[in-house]
Amino acid sequence: MIIAIDGPAGSGKSTAAKRLAERLGFTYLDSGAMYRAFTWKACSADVDFGDEEGLFKLLNETNIRIDCTADGSEVFVDGVNVTKEIRQPSITKNIHHVSSLEFVRKKMVELQRDFVRGKDIVVEGRDMCTVVFPDADKKIYMDADIKERAKRRHSELKTFNDKSDINNVVGDLSQRDRRDSTRKFAPLRRVPDAFYLDTTNLDAEEVVNILIKEIEKDQ
Ligand code: DC
């Protein structure tokens, strides 16, 4: 069974997907971690983000692996554990350079489809329902008010010692939303058959309870 969740940054989809997978005894895939992993690789290999040929070559030399353990998932690039590094604000800032490239998306889609084979899984990202798993058993789109999303992102940034002011976070999120939803390949979009959930006034537990009820309704 595949449960696919899409939504913008800060909509609460990562926390919800993780907890939902735990409650159902499913595996969890954070597809954004793959884009983060390749962005990390491009930064550490010092390839210019404008150099598409260089990025293409680098991508073909890069091995990205996600391991699911009882404590969550770990991300490896060429055998190096980069789970923490890929969450750094410097990576978040540069992902759009690679996530907008068609050849990068093609490779990630292949990796994501390989990963889910034979598993009961909750997958989350931006194009899970639209492109990667259009036949998912359950499609979900999560959203929240930009101010609430910024508040969530702001407290996350504090854990990286990032002292960004909340207004800057609102600005960064709006820019990311715009880039994710207007890019040419696999833009963030809500499909009509996805269950829509606005999480602005909900905590993580309430979100998961609503999702479980919604999934059970179809069984
Ligand atoms: O979910 P996240 O914030 O870790 O994702 C980081 C970026 O990766 C996001 O701004 C857009 C990109 N992404 C994507 O293009 N497609 C996905 N399926 C997941 C993430």
Side-chain angles (χ1 to χ4, degrees):
M1 181 173 186
I2 299 177
I3 299 171
I5 309 180
D6 286 329
S11 57
K13 63 186 187 319
S14 299
T15 309
K18 244 179 264 167
R19 291 195 183 195
L20 187 61
E22 237 171 69
R23 291 260 296 264
L24 298 172
F26 283 20
T27 308
Y28 158 66
L29 175 65
D30 165 10
S31 63
M34 293 181 169
Y35 292 93
R36 289 179 176 276
F38 184 57
T39 306
W40 177 86
K41 173 73 185 257
C43 288
S44 44
D46 217 8
V47 174
D48 191 298
F49 284 117
D51 175 10
E52 285 194 25
E53 224 170 275
L55 288 172
F56 182 77
K57 192 166 164 277
L58 190 73
L59 184 66
N60 288 321
E61 294 165 351
T62 302
N63 178 274
I64 295 171
R65 199 182 86 232
I66 298 208
D67 269 5
C68 288
T69 64
D71 304 324
S73 40
E74 302 211 304
V75 185
F76 296 84
V77 172
D78 305 324
V80 179
N81 190 332
V82 295
T83 311
K84 286 208 178 80
E85 287 79 353
I86 61 169
R87 302 286 154 196
Q88 292 292 338
S90 60
I91 300 295
T92 308
K93 203 176 79 193
N94 284 307
I95 300 176
H96 69 98
H97 293 294
V98 308
S99 66
S100 57
L101 297 171
E102 190 179 21
F103 61 85
V104 172
R105 301 208 69 89
K106 219 170 136 210
K107 170 93 182 259
M108 298 304 168
V109 172
E110 265 172 36
L111 289 176
Q112 289 152 14
R113 289 186 179 149
D114 275 353
F115 186 90
V116 308
R117 202 151 293 135
K119 295 185 178 90
D120 285 322
I121 192 162
V122 181
V123 293
E124 57 105 343
R126 303 293 188 291
D127 60 345
M128 298 295 100
C129 303
T130 50
V131 174
V132 192
F133 303 108
D135 298 324
D137 301 274
K138 187 76 199 172
K139 295 178 206 161
I140 296 161
Y141 188 94
M142 287 173 53
D143 205 349
D145 181 83
I146 182 102
K147 285 202 185 113
E148 174 60 26
R149 293 196 285 122
K151 228 166 74 190
R152 293 170 186 169
R153 178 78 190 132
H154 191 239
S155 34
E156 212 179 279
L157 283 170
K158 279 194 196 145
T159 63
F160 289 103
N161 259 337
D162 185 302
K163 297 188 177 63
S164 291
D165 150 303
I166 187 87
N167 292 321
N168 292 341
V169 180
V170 171
D172 287 350
L173 274 185
S174 315
Q175 189 185 45
R176 245 171 109 190
D177 287 355
R178 190 170 29 79
R179 282 182 171 142
D180 285 346
S181 54
T182 59
R183 67 172 171 237
K184 188 167 171 203
F185 307 107
L188 171 65
R189 225 163 255 161
R190 177 180 155 195
V191 291
D193 58 337
F195 171 69
Y196 177 79
L197 185 60
D198 182 329
T199 68
T200 308
N201 298 307
L202 299 172
D203 68 24
E205 197 56 25
E206 289 169 322
V207 169
V208 177
N209 288 338
I210 294 172
L211 295 182
I212 298 249
K213 250 195 212 145
E214 178 61 29
I215 291 160
E216 281 173 355
K217 221 168 68 186
D218 297 343
Q219 302 306 300

